Amino acid sequence: MLEFKLSRRGLLGAATSAAIASAFPAPFVRAQSERRIVFWHSYSQKERSDHMRLVANRFEQANPGVKVDIEVVPWPAFPQKWPAAAAAGTLPDVTILLAENAVPMSLAGALLPMDDVLASLGGADAFKGNIAIATGRFRDQQISIPHYVHNRLLVYRKDRLAEAGLKPPVTWDDALNAAVATTRAPDHFGWIPKLAKGDVGGGYLLWMMTRSANGSFFDKDGNVSFDSQPVRDATQFIIEIARKSGGPGVTDYKISDNFNLVNSGKTSLAEDSAAIVAGAAQKAPDVAAQLDATFMPKRERVGNLMGGISVALPKGSNPEDGNAFAKFLFTEENYLPFLLTIPLFMFPALKSAEGPAFFDNPTIQRFRNVVDVTLTGLQDSTLAGMEDGLNPYAGPVFNSYAVEDMFQRILLQDEPVEQAVAQTAKAIEKVVGDVKTRLDRG
């Protein structure tokens, strides 16, 4: 056991220091010692990561004595990382996160409210449509603020559709026909869905197709409605796409593989945001010249899926500076330049950023149809599983990878679709039940 002894001189020194400290106001004392902000983000691309470092440097210069430490946390790792950090008392002060991940964090008591940050930015009306409320308002508190948004699209190769004598797909049947017609194995395939284990690609795609059939994973009260005809029909559609146009190893691809699949020409169609076109414009310009996008194929409607990437304030060790840094991310000098670090990758959440400076960008102009489809889709778009508002069960369900496991069983073990959907519904109900139990305890 360690013992600490304090001499009379040390005691007097401590008393003197305390007297000096008490003679000055708290902000003065606070400014004399270095204050550390821990900032997590998932912007792994060099352009976006470098910009976040630049913003952090600007904040440090404007706030002497503050040091911003940045950690890049990959998107798939976040749902596991924050609970571990919460248990260890090492949560960051500011984080970028998928909007749906803010709900379980809030329920766990791991987030600070952001109502004052929202007010400082002009309130919910300063943001496009209803996205500030739809993606960040939970139990009468603002738990996150949208940093940027995008919408899932069906990106296609114009040259391959033209060669097949086809127009951009509109319906499920159109999409299946296009996927089959643009498959030239083993050189390239029509549509390679992302169905790998440990990824949310299968869950997102199934939700979009279920939504387009006027179904959902949950009813308006948050009850599981997975074992339904719209889910079964959507599952069957995706299975046909995978078997008829996905090629070998179709169960191995993750969302992050889309860039390589598109840039290499391996796939003719891809479900993704405009970011996939942005990546091609940078890395594969010849391929990008052949890319365009349309809405995801519909049965009864388009199942628009919003990507909401948000800022939140976890309960870290420096809430005061963390709050100020969160506001700083949205200032004019930082926000629009961030959106244009990789044009098409990110779309404005703030209305003020959606002006000439955004639309006059050469890449935005070049792919204006992709931009217009994105912006139109965002008018009728929601987070996955949250079409009736923020849902505490959606994030845990998608992060359980139950849907991806279902696709693996169907494709690799020939499990019948109806049986697989019923079994997956039970797995989802268990996830929801576990969340409800934790809520009751809380």
Side-chain angles (χ1 to χ4, degrees):
M1 182 176 180
L2 293 175
E3 291 187 9
F4 295 94
K5 296 182 179 179
L6 190 61
S7 68
R8 183 172 181 275
R9 179 178 296 178
L11 182 61
L12 290 173
T16 302
S17 297
I20 292 173
S22 65
F24 292 94
F28 177 87
V29 175
R30 182 175 167 77
Q32 302 314 299
S33 59
E34 183 176 84
R35 289 124 55 193
R36 181 170 172 258
I37 297 174
V38 178
F39 174 40
W40 288 1
H41 70 71
S42 302
Y43 302 145
S44 57
Q45 298 82 5
K46 185 177 188 304
E47 296 89 344
R48 301 205 296 174
S49 183
D50 286 352
H51 184 80
M52 287 294 100
R53 185 64 259 173
L54 175 63
V55 171
N57 291 344
R58 287 174 180 162
F59 188 80
E60 290 174 352
Q61 292 167 5
N63 297 271
V66 175
K67 178 76 170 74
V68 181
D69 292 337
I70 296 178
E71 182 176 353
V72 178
V73 179
W75 296 114
F78 189 91
Q80 289 76 43
K81 187 173 177 66
W82 77 258
T90 58
L91 283 169
D93 303 294
V94 186
T95 190
I96 301 293
L97 78 177
L98 297 178
E100 54 266 34
N101 286 334
V103 179
M105 289 188 76
S106 178
L107 290 170
L111 289 182
L112 296 169
M114 299 189 73
D115 299 82
D116 72 309
V117 177
L118 182 64
S120 74
L121 299 175
D125 289 342
F127 290 80
K128 288 169 55 65
N130 191 44
I131 63 169
I133 302 302
T135 67
R137 194 78 180 170
F138 184 62
R139 293 186 170 180
D140 297 324
Q141 279 191 337
Q142 196 71 30
I143 61 171
S144 67
I145 293 177
H147 197 209
Y148 70 88
V149 289
H150 58 67
N151 189 50
R152 286 294 196 284
L153 315 171
L154 186 66
V155 178
Y156 60 86
R157 288 282 298 252
K158 295 182 290 187
D159 53 341
R160 293 178 186 171
L161 284 185
E163 182 183 350
L166 297 173
K167 295 180 179 180
V170 176
T171 67
W172 286 13
D173 287 343
D174 293 341
L176 181 58
N177 290 338
V180 172
T182 57
T183 296
R184 296 289 183 271
D187 180 66
H188 60 263
F189 300 90
W191 183 354
I192 305 175
K194 271 51 69 180
L195 307 175
K197 288 185 176 182
D199 194 56
V200 294
Y204 281 178
L205 180 57
L206 182 62
W207 181 84
M208 286 186 279
M209 295 299 96
T210 298
R211 182 83 167 130
S212 79
N214 278 339
S216 181
F217 290 6
F218 307 94
D219 67 19
K220 62 182 178 60
D221 297 316
N223 300 308
V224 178
S225 57
F226 191 86
D227 192 4
S228 63
Q229 197 58 47
V231 173
R232 289 189 284 272
D233 290 347
T235 300
Q236 185 61 53
F237 169 70
I238 294 169
I239 291 298
E240 286 194 69
I241 291 287
R243 285 176 171 161
K244 294 180 179 180
S245 73
V250 70
T251 55
D252 297 332
Y253 293 104
K254 299 182 178 181
I255 292 174
S256 58
D257 292 319
N258 244 355
F259 289 100
N260 287 335
L261 290 173
V262 170
N263 290 356
S264 67
K266 196 72 174 177
T267 188
S268 304
L269 305 169
E271 74 285 8
D272 211 308
S273 70
I276 204 73
V277 181
Q282 281 193 326
K283 305 294 184 182
D286 291 343
V287 170
Q290 297 299 334
L291 294 181
D292 207 338
T294 186
F295 301 105
M296 288 295 293
K298 69 177 182 178
R299 194 174 195 187
E300 305 296 332
R301 54 171 295 164
V302 177
N304 286 306
L305 188 157
M306 178 191 296
I309 291 75
S310 298
V311 180
L313 296 175
K315 290 184 177 178
S317 60
N318 189 356
E320 184 178 336
D321 287 322
N323 184 291
F325 184 69
K327 296 172 183 175
F328 193 69
L329 291 172
F330 291 93
T331 61
E332 185 176 355
E333 66 173 333
N334 296 322
Y335 187 61
L336 182 60
F338 169 67
L339 297 177
L340 295 176
T341 53
I342 309 178
L344 291 179
F345 217 96
M346 299 160 285
F347 288 80
L350 280 172
K351 291 178 184 176
S352 60
E354 197 174 284
F358 179 79
F359 288 109
D360 288 348
N361 176 273
T363 303
I364 298 293
Q365 289 186 335
R366 179 184 173 196
F367 296 99
R368 186 56 193 260
N369 182 63
V370 177
V371 173
D372 290 344
V373 171
T374 296
L375 295 176
T376 300
L378 282 169
Q379 295 173 16
D380 180 36
S381 184
T382 71
L383 301 174
M386 299 193 187
E387 53 268 43
D388 293 305
L390 289 185
N391 174 359
Y393 312 121
V397 164
F398 284 101
N399 291 328
S400 75
Y401 312 124
V403 172
E404 288 73 24
D405 289 343
M406 179 186 77
F407 281 123
Q408 299 278 322
R409 297 197 309 275
I410 296 172
L411 289 167
L412 299 179
Q413 301 171 23
D414 290 323
E415 184 173 329
V417 167
E418 186 169 341
Q419 176 183 323
V421 169
Q423 182 176 336
T424 303
K426 292 179 181 178
I428 289 174
E429 286 169 356
K430 184 180 185 306
V431 173
V432 170
D434 290 344
V435 174
K436 286 182 177 179
T437 299
R438 291 197 298 271
L439 289 178
D440 291 341
R441 289 173 182 168

